[in-house]
């Protein structure tokens, strides 16, 4: 009899619940949606069915590797790996300071290691970090927190319940964003009271089901958004009563919009003025409006300004803190530092650190510069940074220029190839994992996933790797572990008392709590779930700070007991658990400015807003006449999680899409091999003539151009273009440092028919 086990799909932030059918030898034979997952409720999209290409994929690594003098790798034991790495990291700390050790992470479903890696980093004094959020959401986060100073999690739009849902540079039909997205969009399409608005230069699959498609000119969304705010202000469609109650600063901002020439701004962005005015009227007449901005604007010109304009639009029309409007989620763990008002700058490039993250685009320079405070060591956990950061060759060079680079991954990646040590982890189906993108509202869910398979003996769970490193660095007094385990043997109460005594008597151990819990409580959790132990304090904190929300999700008790019950529920619910349930206006509780108001005037954004009056300045040139969107999500694209190109049912070659008129001008036909060149470099793939593309706009998918067989004798295989061979680190937002991956000036030439 085949056995089905609950787990999750790990390809996008939704981490939908799935059931996996086990075959012999750690093989996934079938995948279906898990009806018991409180978020996805049985829904999966076309990509989840292919997860065996991850679990049983190519390029797996099974033993620790060390780079030899000749550049190749040799296999070493775990004891050697841990002791050498601990010694070298300590050496960097002693010589240059622990702040020269940079930590990078990534991925979608593999975040259980977070607390344990934090313990390890704090042992070394490593304070700088980055992850892909710093190449998409940091501008938006900065704006949201200046305006709302949120004490909660990520801020989002409740698009599924809004009267008017605006998808700004977002293609939800393919990329989702909320649970059961594609299914719900099909239903909402037929709902007369719900309007879908898509802003995209391409006629996307989402545009096909939209009530309005605004085919904006590439990179000009700032003009469109400024004109939209201007119409609302000039028509006086502002919700003054709401604003008086909840905001300050309107007097300072409205003059900037009062005089905006709407017709001229519409020309700049290529939108008919009548169409934009109609949208403004829809917004004015709607009970609720939500905006979902995503990579089309976040990885594009004026991105931080656009995030500001869309928040302004929603706030002046009263669309916050109610059903169908913007909300601030209440997660178990805030995946971005709650210390948003972080005035630190990076040591070398003096870049803003937002949400505790340094911009991905400056990482290579922070390592390569001839600067006394440059980064000397890099630790990478579950990110293929060489492939996923702008300027792949810069990143590869940077990782080689450190005193030590360590990569923890399941596969031999482009990034691992540049490391001094590569440490193999179990796949997400061979260990306990945690779904950390908890962005839902009014209820939020979490899933501590149980292992589906036993892990191969030669790989180590990330929690174990970080625990061993902390121990090797002398940060975990062993007598404390022995004492706590003795207390644990006497029962939960005795353990709780002993644990709080240890932590209060040794404040220096606070940062080691995850590892201490893993080595103690973790050992008595159900088999395979030890790494869940580090989440106990988060459950207690959530319950202590938000008891009503936790109780409303069905958890019982008061104070610590409520938190422990939540933790037990997390451990005992392999299909996931409802964490919190709140009222629609709960977001108001998370306004963090002392005056409890939303602040509309962000002086830092004003010069860029004013500069729009000068008109749009394209970056294309006779050498690079096209705007390339580098990393479009399609039917069968994922980031670097599926390395085997065979996972793609269609678009095996990751084609370059181009409009029929551009193809005609260049004399190109679908299927021909082309060279794409940019200021940074070159890449090749086949061309696909596609009538959804706007003339002058070309696009490459994400996830192409991964190199297979890097760790075997077989010839390296590379299918499709690797997007970041074409992107430059300095093609980025001046403010947040986020890349302009969707606006890369490029040229295209025929290689062969
Ligand atoms: N199928 C699939 N789904 C995914 C993923 C995946 O790999 N594959 N990845 C997940 C991840 S990590 C993320 S971050 C999300 C991203 O989700 P999205 O942001 O929706 O994905 P993209 O396709 O990168 O970009 C969205 C749209 O931006 C448009 N665009 C390009 N230039 C402009 C412009 O100048 N203005 C405007 N308004 N739009 C423009 C593109 O045409 C594209 O349709 O998707 C998630 N979902
Ligand atoms: N040009 C361009 N670049 C982009 C984008 C774009 O649109 N255009 N999109 C950006 C976006 S939105 C994102 S989210 C990023 C994604 O950037 P990354 O997060 O760097 O991308 P992935 O390739 O998904 O890297 C995940 C790595 O984790 C490994 N992994 C999988 N499971 C585990 C595990 O259990 N443990 C460990 N330790 N490792 C594991 C995988 O093998 C893979 O190497 O890419 C960004 N880069
Ligand atoms: S929406 Fe699709 S890709 Fe995203 S987690 Fe769910 S099944 Fe996976
Ligand atoms: Mo992403």
């Amino acid at each position: 009899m085949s056995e089905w086990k609950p787990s999750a799909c790990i390809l996008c932030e939704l981490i939908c619940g799935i059931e996996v059918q086990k075959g012999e030898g750690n093989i996934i034979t079938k995948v279906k949606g898990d009806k018991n997952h409180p978020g996805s409720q049985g829904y999966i999209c076309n990509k989840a069915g292919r997860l065996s290409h991850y679990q049983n994929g190519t390029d797996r690594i099974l033993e620790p590797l060390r780079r030899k003098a000749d550049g190749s790798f040799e296999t070493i034991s775990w004891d050697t790996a841990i002791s050498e790495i601990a010694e070298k990291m300590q050496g960097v700390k002693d010589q240059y300071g622990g702040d020269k050790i940079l930590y990078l992470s990534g991925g979608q479903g593999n975040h259980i290691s977070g607390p344990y890696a934090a313990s390890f980093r704090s042992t070394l004094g490593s304070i700088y970090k980055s992850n892909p959020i710093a190449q998409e959401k940091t501008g938006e986060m900065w704006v949201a927190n200046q305006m709302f100073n949120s004490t909660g999690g990520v801020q989002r739009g409740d698009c599924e319940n809004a009267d008017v849902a605006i998808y700004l540079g977002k293609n939800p039909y393919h990329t989702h964003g909320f649970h059961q997205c594609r299914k719900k969009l099909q239903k909402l399409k037929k709902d007369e009271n719900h309007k879908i608005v898509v802003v995209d230069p391409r006629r996307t699959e989402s545009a096909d089901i939209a009530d309005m498609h605004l085919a904006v000119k590439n990179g000009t969304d700032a003009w469109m958004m400024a004109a939209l705010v201007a119409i609302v202000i000039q028509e006086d469609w502002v919700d003054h009563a709401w604003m008086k109650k909840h905001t300050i600063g309107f007097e300072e901002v409205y003059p900037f919009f009062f005089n905006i020439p709407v017709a001229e701004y519409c020309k700049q962005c290529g939108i008919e003025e009548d169409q934009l005015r109609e949208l403004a009227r829809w917004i004015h007449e709607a009970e609720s409006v939500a905006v979902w901005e995503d990579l089309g604007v976040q990885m594009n010109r004026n991105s931080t300004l656009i995030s500001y304009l869309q928040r302004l639009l929603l706030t002046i029309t009263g669309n916050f803190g109610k059903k169908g409007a913007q909300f601030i989620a209440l997660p178990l763990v805030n995946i971005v530092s709650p210390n948003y008002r972080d005035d630190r700058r990076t040591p070398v490039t003096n870049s803003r650190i937002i949400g505790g993250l340094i911009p991905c685009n400056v990482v290579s320079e922070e390592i390569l510069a001839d600067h006394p405070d440059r980064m000397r060591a890099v630790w990478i956990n579950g990110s293929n940074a060489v492939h996923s950061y702008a300027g792949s060759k810069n990143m590869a060079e940077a990782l080689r220029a450190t005193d030590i680079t360590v990569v923890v991954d399941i596969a031999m990646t482009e990034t691992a190839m540049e490391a001094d040590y590569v440490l193999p982890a179990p796949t997400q189906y061979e260990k306990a994992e945690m779904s950390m993108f908890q962005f839902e509202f009014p209820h939020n869910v979490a899933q501590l996933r149980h292992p589906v398979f036993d892990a191969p003996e030669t790989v180590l769970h990330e929690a174990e790797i970080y625990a061993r490193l902390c121990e090797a660095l002398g940060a975990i007094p062993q007598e404390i572990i022995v004492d706590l385990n003795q207390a644990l043997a006497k029962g939960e109460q005795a353990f709780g008392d002993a644990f709080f005594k240890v932590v209060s008597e040794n404040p220096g151990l606070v940062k080691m709590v995850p590892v201490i819990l893993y080595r103690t409580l973790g050992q008595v959790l159900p088999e395979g779930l030890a790494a869940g132990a580090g989440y106990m304090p988060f459950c207690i904190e959530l319950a202590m700070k938000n008891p009503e929300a936790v109780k409303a999700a069905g958890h019982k008790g008061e104070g610590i007991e409520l938190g422990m019950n939540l933790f037990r529920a997390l451990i005992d619910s392999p299909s996931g658990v409802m964490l919190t349930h709140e009222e629609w206006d709960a977001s108001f509780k998370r306004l963090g400015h002392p005056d409890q108001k939303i602040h509309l005037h962000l002086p830092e954004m004003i010069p860029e807003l004013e500069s729009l009056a000068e008109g749009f300045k394209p970056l294309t040139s006779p050498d690079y006449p096209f705007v390339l969107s580098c990393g479009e999500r399609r039917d069968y694209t994922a980031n670097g999680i599926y390395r085997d190109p065979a996972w793609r049912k269609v678009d095996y070659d990751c084609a370059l899409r181009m409009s029929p008129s551009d193809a005609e001008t260049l004399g190109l036909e679908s299927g021909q091999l082309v060279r794409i060149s940019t200021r940074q470099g070159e890449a090749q793939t086949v061309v696909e003539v596609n009538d959804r593309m706007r003339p002058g706009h070309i696009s490459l998918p994400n996830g192409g151009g991964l190199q297979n067989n890097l760790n075997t004798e077989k010839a390296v295989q590379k299918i499709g273009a690797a997007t970041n061979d074409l992107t430059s680190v300095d093609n980025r937002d001046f403010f947040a440092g986020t890349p302009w991956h969707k606006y890369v000036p490029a040229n295209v030439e025929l290689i062969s028919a």
Side-chain angles (χ1 to χ4, degrees):
M1 272 293 282
S2 55
E3 198 185 344
W4 288 88
K5 288 248 188 168
S7 188
C9 172
I10 56 170
L11 295 171
C12 84
E13 70 203 48
L14 290 176
I15 331 272
C16 297
I18 58 172
E19 287 187 78
V20 167
Q21 190 183 42
K22 290 171 66 168
E24 289 295 316
N26 287 16
I27 301 274
I28 291 181
T29 44
K30 266 191 193 145
V31 173
K32 65 182 179 191
D34 182 358
K35 292 196 175 65
N36 295 321
H37 187 279
S40 56
Q41 298 179 12
Y43 174 89
I44 46 169
C45 76
N46 58 308
K47 296 184 291 298
R50 316 286 287 174
L51 279 164
S52 61
H53 288 270
Y54 163 80
Q55 169 59 26
N56 317 115
T58 46
D59 308 331
R60 183 82 194 266
I61 38 167
L62 290 169
E63 275 165 306
L65 301 173
R66 174 175 64 193
R67 186 180 299 289
K68 292 197 288 191
D70 68 4
S72 63
F73 285 110
E74 62 189 334
T75 301
I76 53 172
S77 71
W78 276 104
D79 284 348
T80 306
I82 296 289
S83 63
E84 283 189 17
I85 291 170
E87 193 183 321
K88 287 186 184 174
M89 287 290 173
Q90 183 67 44
V92 172
K93 178 183 176 182
D94 293 344
Q95 196 174 352
Y96 305 108
D99 59 337
K100 310 301 180 310
I101 301 170
L102 177 63
Y103 177 77
L104 308 176
S105 58
Q108 306 285 330
N110 52 305
H111 298 156
I112 197 167
S113 56
Y116 306 103
S119 295
F120 167 57
R121 292 177 58 222
S122 97
T123 304
L124 291 167
S126 153
I127 55 172
Y128 294 109
K129 63 177 178 182
S130 194
N131 68 43
I133 292 173
Q135 59 173 326
E136 36 179 323
K137 308 273 174 273
T138 33
E140 185 188 18
M141 277 164 38
W142 183 87
V143 166
N145 283 288
Q146 296 295 311
M147 291 178 75
F148 302 84
N149 198 19
S150 157
T151 56
V154 167
Q155 191 181 117
R156 291 220 155 166
D158 180 22
C159 282
E160 54 184 297
N161 290 305
D163 280 3
V164 177
I166 304 173
Y167 299 94
L168 183 61
K170 165 93 192 158
N171 185 10
Y173 190 79
H174 273 324
T175 62
H176 293 78
F178 49 83
H179 278 301
Q180 307 197 328
C181 190
R182 190 176 285 179
K183 192 169 139 192
K184 286 181 183 162
L185 285 172
Q186 296 286 13
K187 209 166 139 212
L188 288 169
K189 179 187 162 192
K190 296 184 200 123
D191 181 347
E192 282 178 8
N193 298 317
H194 178 89
K195 291 199 164 69
I196 299 174
V197 179
V198 170
V199 185
D200 199 308
R202 239 170 17 104
R203 202 186 75 248
T204 58
E205 298 74 7
S206 308
D208 289 347
I209 55 167
D211 297 274
M212 184 186 286
H213 173 211
L214 294 144
V216 65
K217 267 201 279 190
N218 293 81
T220 64
D221 297 73
W223 281 263
M224 193 208 83
M225 289 305 294
L228 199 51
V229 175
I231 298 170
V232 170
I233 286 179
Q234 292 168 14
E235 299 282 351
D236 200 18
W237 287 339
V238 171
D239 189 339
H240 291 285
W242 191 91
M243 284 229 301
K244 193 153 183 265
K245 195 163 167 213
H246 297 296
T247 72
I248 59 162
F250 184 61
E251 292 70 24
E252 280 131 309
V253 292
Y254 96 87
F256 297 110
F257 295 94
F258 203 74
N259 296 317
I260 280 183
V262 171
E264 173 54 28
Y265 276 37
C266 285
K267 268 195 208 121
Q268 293 292 326
C269 61
I271 304 285
E272 291 294 332
E273 187 180 343
D274 287 350
Q275 195 184 20
L276 202 66
R277 287 192 182 276
E278 191 183 358
L279 175 57
R281 180 172 291 282
W282 286 3
I283 293 171
H284 172 55
E285 288 169 358
E287 285 292 318
S288 57
V289 183
V291 177
W292 197 294
E293 65 159 77
D294 217 336
L295 305 186
V297 292
Q298 292 184 336
M299 293 183 169
N300 215 323
R301 314 278 303 274
N302 309 104
S303 57
T304 310
L305 175 63
I306 294 169
S307 300
Y308 175 49
L309 293 170
Q310 70 99 338
R311 286 294 194 288
L312 212 50
L313 175 74
L314 293 171
T315 314
I316 63 176
T317 51
N319 283 296
F320 174 81
K322 64 180 182 188
K323 191 172 179 183
Q326 299 300 110
F327 61 79
I328 300 173
L330 184 59
L332 178 60
V333 183
N334 237 334
I335 51 152
V336 286
S337 160
N339 180 21
Y340 288 113
R341 288 179 170 263
D342 185 342
D343 293 329
R344 284 181 305 159
R345 296 277 182 144
T346 62
V348 172
T349 60
N350 196 36
S351 304
R352 271 191 187 77
I353 294 178
I354 302 175
L357 304 175
I358 75 171
C360 297
N361 275 53
V362 307
V363 163
S364 55
E365 216 180 320
E366 296 287 334
I367 299 166
L368 287 169
D370 181 13
H371 189 286
D373 293 332
R374 70 185 173 88
M375 297 294 149
R376 306 285 176 154
V378 180
W379 190 282
I380 304 180
N381 190 101
S383 170
N384 191 357
V386 167
H387 187 261
S388 64
Y389 284 23
S392 288
K393 71 171 183 235
N394 308 51
M395 231 5 238
E397 192 190 334
L399 296 185
R400 289 287 181 117
T402 60
D403 288 16
I404 171 171
T405 294
V406 180
V407 169
V408 186
D409 207 298
I410 66 144
M412 181 47 85
T413 65
E414 291 67 13
T415 306
M417 282 304 281
E418 309 302 334
D420 299 299
Y421 293 87
V422 186
L423 303 180
T427 69
Q428 297 176 53
Y429 302 103
E430 296 168 349
K431 67 177 170 213
E433 253 303 350
M434 186 74 188
S435 301
M436 296 292 283
F437 291 133
Q438 297 136 7
F439 302 146
E440 304 286 301
F441 188 83
H443 37 248
N444 217 338
V445 298
Q447 189 185 8
L448 175 68
R449 287 125 57 190
H450 295 203
V452 174
F453 305 107
D454 293 332
E457 277 173 10
T458 50
V459 302
L460 285 185
H461 194 296
E462 288 87 342
E464 181 67 27
I465 296 177
Y466 294 118
R468 287 192 191 184
L469 283 161
C470 289
E471 286 156 358
L473 288 160
I476 311 285
Q478 284 311 297
E479 60 283 5
I480 284 182
I481 302 293
V482 172
D483 288 352
L484 285 175
N485 276 328
Q486 278 168 2
L488 191 59
K490 293 186 198 139
E492 216 175 68
Q493 186 62 43
F495 176 72
D497 294 345
F499 179 77
F500 284 114
K501 188 159 175 281
V502 162
V503 178
S504 49
E505 284 173 2
N506 305 277
L509 283 181
V510 167
K511 296 262 168 69
M512 296 301 122
V513 160
V515 173
I516 294 172
L517 287 174
Y518 169 71
R519 282 283 186 246
T520 54
L521 178 67
Q523 307 313 307
V524 299
L525 291 177
E527 202 191 335
L529 296 186
Y535 288 82
M536 190 259 269
F538 293 103
C539 291
I540 291 180
E541 194 188 344
L542 186 71
M544 301 290 273
K545 288 193 179 156
N546 305 279
E548 297 313 318
V550 173
K551 283 186 209 168
H555 307 287
K556 304 239 170 342
E558 298 294 336
I560 292 180
E561 191 50 26
L562 178 64
M564 283 307 292
N565 283 338
L566 176 62
F567 177 64
R568 287 182 197 110
L570 185 67
I571 296 286
D572 294 340
S573 314
S575 291
V577 65
M578 181 103 77
L579 287 171
T580 49
H581 181 82
E582 297 185 280
E583 299 299 322
W584 285 102
D585 61 0
S587 298
F588 284 109
K589 287 191 284 195
R590 300 199 260 282
L591 296 181
H593 287 299
D595 58 13
Q596 296 286 299
K597 298 237 153 87
I598 302 168
H599 291 196
L600 299 181
H601 182 218
L602 304 190
E604 291 91 335
M605 292 292 108
I606 300 300
E608 199 182 352
L609 174 62
E610 288 184 309
S611 76
L612 298 183
E614 294 159 23
F616 178 66
K617 298 187 180 73
L619 298 179
T620 45
S621 64
D623 286 344
Y624 302 114
F626 293 100
V627 174
L628 168 66
S629 286
C630 222
E632 175 186 294
R633 273 73 185 160
R634 297 180 183 168
D635 243 4
Y636 285 92
T637 74
N639 292 325
I641 301 163
Y642 285 139
R643 296 190 61 80
D644 178 2
W647 91 270
R648 292 188 283 273
K649 268 193 181 168
V650 294
D651 200 19
Y652 179 80
D653 293 302
C654 298
L656 174 81
R657 287 183 174 162
M658 176 179 271
S659 73
S661 63
D662 287 333
E664 197 185 327
T665 309
L666 295 182
L668 293 175
E669 284 170 23
S670 287
Q672 288 178 323
L673 190 64
V674 290
R675 178 182 304 111
I676 306 130
S677 49
T678 65
R679 195 153 54 79
Q680 174 81 1
E682 288 183 359
Q684 310 187 348
T685 191
V686 298
V687 74
E688 177 195 307
V689 182
N690 185 305
D691 68 4
R692 293 178 176 279
M693 298 302 293
R694 192 187 167 96
H697 182 203
I698 54 178
S699 91
L700 280 170
N702 65 326
L706 288 161
Q707 296 172 51
N708 299 119
N709 302 326
L710 288 170
N711 58 341
T712 67
E713 300 294 306
K714 290 190 231 158
V716 172
Q717 167 184 260
K718 181 174 176 175
I719 307 292
T723 48
N724 290 311
D725 286 346
L726 295 167
T727 58
S728 315
V729 293
D730 58 356
N731 201 38
R732 64 176 189 247
D733 184 55
F734 87 101
F735 194 85
T738 40
W740 292 344
H741 288 325
K742 308 292 171 184
Y743 194 102
V744 182
N747 191 27
V748 180
E749 295 158 286
L750 179 67
I751 297 178
S752 62

